[in-house]
Each structure stands twice: as C-alpha cells, then as structure tokens.
Amino acid sequence: MNNYLTYLYLLTPLHTGASSQEGNLMGIAREVHTEFPYLPASSLRGKIRSELETINSDTAGLLFGQKIKDGMQPTEGEVWFADATLLFFPIASLSHHFIWITCPLWLERWNRWLDKAPLTSFIQDCRRGLSETQACVSFPPAPLYLQTALLRQSDLTQLDSSPLSESLTPLIQTQGMISQLTQKLVILSDEDCNALVELGLQREVRVALEETSKTVKGGSFRSEEAIPPEAVLFFPWGMKQSKHEEKTQPMRRHLQEHLNQRLQFGGLEGLGRGWTDLQTIKLTQNLEM
C-alpha cells in the first residue's frame, strides 16, 4: 500500500458544510470531541472523484469503487481518504499584523503520520514550555497581541523551529506569505488554541431583499461561518494494491497530479469559497500494522 499526506493551504475562506444549524447561524463541520473545524473525508473524496470522473468515469469508478446504481451493490475501491484537520490557523495581531497558531494536539496528529515521528522531541519541548509560560514562539520574545489579548515578553518561550521547517519543506518552499510560517508561529495550549480558533473564524451576514421595497425578506437573515484564508490543514490518504492495474494505473497518476495542484472544496463554490493549494508528500512508514 502506498500512503501519502496532503497539505491544504487555503487561498479563500473554506465553508465545510453545517453539521448543525442554530437559529440563523449556518455553522461548519466540527469534530464532536474537540469542536475544532475540519473538512470531512467524504467531502474530500467526493470532490476528487468528480474531478477524475471528468477524465474517465469508468476508470474512476474502478479506482474509487462503484456507486449504488440500478440495483447494483457498491464495490470497494482502491483508494482511501481521512478527514482533513487543522495544522496552522491565522490570527490577527495588533503587534505582528497576523501570525499562525498551532497546539500540541494538532502537532501530535500530524506527527503520527510522518516517517519515524520526527517531531516527537519538539512537541515534548512545547508541552514543557507551555507548563511554564503562556505560549511558545518561533521568533524573539516581545510583547505579542493575539487578537486584542496581550502576552508580555515574560509570557513567551522561544523554541527552535528548524524541526518544523524540515518537515514543512514542501509547503513553505513556495513563494508568498506561507513561506514565512515558521518565522511567525505561536504554539498555545490546546484549550487556548480552541478559544482563539472560535474567535478567528470568518463570519458573514447574508440577507435577501424584497424586490419592490428593498426590505429584508422574512426569515432570510443568516450568518455563515468559514475557516479563513492562510489556514493550513492536512489529510492522509493512500492507494491499495491495484486489482485492475492495467486499467487504473493512468488514473492513479492523475490522482497524484491533482493533489499537487489547486482545487476547490466545501460549499459556496459560486462565491469563490474553498480554493486551496495542495502539496503532497509520500509517506514511507508502514501503516498496515
């Protein structure tokens, strides 16, 4: 089995579809035990499959498995996808314009999939640092605003971010703001990270107007949540041994090509939501145990 890990760098806000709706709030999918936003594997799989079906629907059916159709039972495919979870989240800063935040939970999830778990020592250093101060940073400690909350210099511990840089090379080697990630990174406790993510979600209010009076239509007021641009998520995926190698091999190559390009995920595509740059690395560790 060949296994991979794909990074999603958000170019536009990502609306992942409401797992629940309270009042006029159109929420986004959240993990049941952490409340962190995520992109469900079913959404990833469906979008990628639709892209490949435009090339050859029959071969895509062999690779992803046949759907229930005309009374036929579904068949097992040759590719699997896991949920895309947060890795780095952008937060406004009065002192640094904006920075990225992460937490030990996100780093540990990521580290599980990396070959030989190279970030284990770094994550342990983070947890030790967070037991003594409010945050660990990748830059020289100085007064830091997260949104409008002030962290004084004494509240910060600087950590060497080179282990992160090595693991993130495929992502940060591109030009643009993402190349600054390891120089503008703040590591917080899981609880503080959760609170700031909630504050940092993009929320937009939408209304529909009556054509004649230009007043709000009844029941048309709603607020929509989205993960903001510059956020980074990741998801592992893999391809099983091919049962139809002579037929699916070209489609396997197309799949890897698509997961190193630019794709749109989630809802509200007509509003330009969900555009992502994708970077994929191959995992060398054995995940079949």
Side-chain angles (χ1 to χ4, degrees), residues 223-263:
S223 179
E224 297 171 350
E225 288 184 329
I227 303 172
E230 318 312 329
V232 177
L233 299 88
F234 75 94
F235 66 92
W237 61 280
M239 291 188 284
K240 306 173 186 177
Q241 185 174 359
S242 177
K243 300 176 183 178
H244 312 278
E245 185 171 358
E246 69 285 353
K247 295 181 179 180
T248 61
Q249 195 62 35
M251 191 60 68
R252 286 172 172 246
R253 289 196 296 270
H254 286 303
L255 173 59
Q256 294 181 62
E257 291 171 359
H258 273 69
L259 292 181
N260 279 290
Q261 296 177 356
R262 186 171 291 183
L263 283 180

Side-chain angles (χ1 to χ4, degrees), residues 16-278:
T16 57
S19 57
S20 63
Q21 186 164 334
E22 299 180 4
N24 291 326
L25 175 62
M26 186 177 177
I28 54 180
R30 294 173 182 268
E31 298 173 352
V32 65
H33 59 307
T34 67
E35 287 296 306
F36 281 127
Y38 78 109
L39 179 56
S42 57
S43 297
L44 288 167
R45 183 184 180 91
K47 174 62 178 182
I48 296 167
R49 177 173 185 149
S50 69
E51 290 287 323
L52 296 184
E53 283 180 338
T54 62
I55 300 174
N56 188 313
S57 59
D58 291 337
T59 308
L62 291 175
L63 185 62
F64 284 82
Q66 297 292 348
K67 301 177 182 178
I68 300 177
K69 185 178 180 181
D70 299 328
M72 300 291 291
Q73 291 298 313
T75 60
E76 182 181 0
E78 300 176 1
V79 61
W80 63 270
F81 294 89
D83 297 332
T85 56
L86 286 168
L87 183 55
F88 303 108
F89 190 89
I91 287 291
S93 170
L94 296 177
S95 56
H96 293 71
H97 183 205
F98 82 91
I99 50 85
W100 283 274
I101 62 171
T102 188
C103 62
L105 173 62
W106 295 355
L107 296 175
E108 286 172 353
R109 287 179 170 182
W110 177 37
N111 194 40
R112 291 171 194 165
W113 297 98
L114 299 179
D115 182 32
K116 299 180 181 178
L119 298 175
T120 300
S121 296
F122 179 81
I123 296 170
Q124 291 172 348
D125 291 341
C126 291
R127 289 206 178 275
R128 281 193 293 268
L130 292 172
S131 67
E132 301 172 356
T133 55
Q134 293 294 313
C136 299
V137 294
S138 64
F139 44 85
L144 169 67
Y145 280 92
L146 298 177
Q147 296 280 22
T148 56
L150 173 62
L151 295 181
R152 296 177 175 83
Q153 185 170 340
S154 58
D155 296 326
L156 307 176
T157 299
Q158 184 176 5
L159 291 179
D160 179 14
S161 62
S162 58
L164 283 175
S165 300
E166 294 172 6
S167 298
L168 287 170
T169 298
L171 181 66
I172 62 177
Q173 67 184 0
T174 57
Q175 295 182 350
M177 285 186 289
I178 192 62
S179 63
Q180 306 172 31
L181 189 151
T182 53
Q183 287 83 48
K184 300 182 66 174
L185 183 64
V186 178
I187 303 166
L188 302 167
S189 69
D190 299 341
E191 297 79 10
D192 288 344
C193 192
N194 198 339
L196 279 173
V197 166
E198 191 63 28
L199 289 173
L201 289 175
Q202 182 167 315
R203 294 180 175 89
E204 295 183 354
V205 176
R206 300 193 178 281
V207 297
L209 299 179
E210 296 284 359
E211 292 185 6
T212 55
S213 62
K214 300 302 179 182
T215 57
V216 177
K217 289 182 179 179
S220 66
F221 171 84
R222 70 182 189 277
S223 179
E224 297 171 350
E225 288 184 329
I227 303 172
E230 318 312 329
V232 177
L233 299 88
F234 75 94
F235 66 92
W237 61 280
M239 291 188 284
K240 306 173 186 177
Q241 185 174 359
S242 177
K243 300 176 183 178
H244 312 278
E245 185 171 358
E246 69 285 353
K247 295 181 179 180
T248 61
Q249 195 62 35
M251 191 60 68
R252 286 172 172 246
R253 289 196 296 270
H254 286 303
L255 173 59
Q256 294 181 62
E257 291 171 359
H258 273 69
L259 292 181
N260 279 290
Q261 296 177 356
R262 186 171 291 183
L263 283 180
Q264 193 176 17
F265 294 100
L268 305 177
E269 291 186 355
L271 299 178
R273 300 292 187 262
W275 278 109
T276 65
D277 262 340
L278 305 179

